[in-house]
Amino acid sequence: MAKRVVVLVSGSGTLLQAIIDAVAEGRLDIDLVAVGSDRPDAHGLARARAAGVDTFVVELAKGADRAAWDRELRDAVAAHDPDLVVGAGFLRIVGPAFLERFGGRMINSHPALLPSFPGVHGVRDALAHGVKVSGTTIFWVDAGVDTGAIIAQHAVPVLPGDTEDDLTERIKEVERPLLVATIADLTRTPERNP
């Protein structure tokens, strides 16, 4: 029986689209039960709806109670009873209530070779530091900022003259298949989480 997966997005949903395409093409044997977002205008939600996947939004308004938002997000995800939660361009840090329920069952993708350059500006920070190699990391979500146990990584060379957009796009080209392959591996093999 296919594992139930919920994907969380904040933006355009290109990582989500890679998952949707892999499922449609039979390369990923999961039941994509829902896509959630913290932003009602996230294009990833439109991608999910176009694929016939249920969607939900748990918006975090400026100045809102983060603990209440965390509980609301936990409950919205729990309503779909997932075996695995995937952060695919989800730009929020989940809190204690969420992790109490889904700790050890949520993975995330980051556009840098963790533990280097955590946070929302991983690509920009890597370029500013002058590294010759960057890449992407898939990891288990924990209470820190991009500090969870690393599952998979893929290196991407930094080319002379690279802009943030250039490097971001080259990272996404390897990040998409790496995320799909990682989901496939985790949903085939039970209890591989830390």
Side-chain angles (χ1 to χ4, degrees):
M1 187 164 149
K3 299 286 187 182
R4 297 172 61 84
V5 175
V6 169
V7 176
L8 299 177
V9 300
S10 290
S12 67
T14 60
L15 289 169
L16 169 64
Q17 190 64 55
I19 296 167
I20 290 169
D21 292 347
V23 170
E25 295 164 8
R27 295 181 288 115
L28 184 57
D29 183 21
I30 63 169
D31 184 3
L32 181 55
V33 293
V35 171
S37 182
D38 59 317
R39 299 177 181 174
D41 61 345
H43 186 63
L45 294 171
R47 291 177 188 269
R49 289 184 201 109
V53 178
D54 285 344
T55 63
F56 62 89
V57 175
V58 181
E59 193 170 5
L60 179 60
K62 189 171 185 171
D65 179 345
R66 280 196 70 91
W69 172 83
D70 188 56
R71 290 188 300 272
E72 190 177 345
L73 180 66
R74 174 202 62 199
D75 295 346
V77 171
H80 298 280
D81 193 27
D83 298 297
L84 182 67
V85 180
V86 177
F90 187 61
L91 302 177
R92 297 286 181 190
I93 297 170
V94 295
F98 190 93
L99 289 171
E100 183 178 312
R101 177 73 184 262
F102 295 107
R105 286 195 285 158
M106 182 176 182
I107 64 171
N108 196 18
S109 178
H110 182 71
L113 294 176
L114 294 174
S116 297
F117 312 113
V120 296
H121 301 295
V123 175
R124 180 187 311 164
D125 294 345
L127 285 171
H129 196 73
V131 299
K132 301 300 180 198
V133 177
S134 188
T136 186
T137 304
I138 312 297
F139 63 98
W140 291 107
V141 172
D142 66 8
V145 177
D146 301 329
T147 57
I150 293 170
I151 304 167
Q153 292 184 307
H154 195 292
V156 174
V158 177
L159 304 178
D162 261 348
T163 66
E164 187 176 350
D165 288 343
D166 295 336
L167 183 55
T168 296
E169 189 51 43
R170 281 204 324 286
I171 289 172
K172 283 184 178 182
E173 289 172 10
V174 299
E175 188 176 27
R176 293 175 193 125
L178 183 64
L179 182 58
V180 168
T182 301
I183 294 168
D185 183 48
L186 293 174
T187 55
R188 268 195 308 266
T189 308
E191 303 302 323
R192 285 212 29 210
N193 51 352

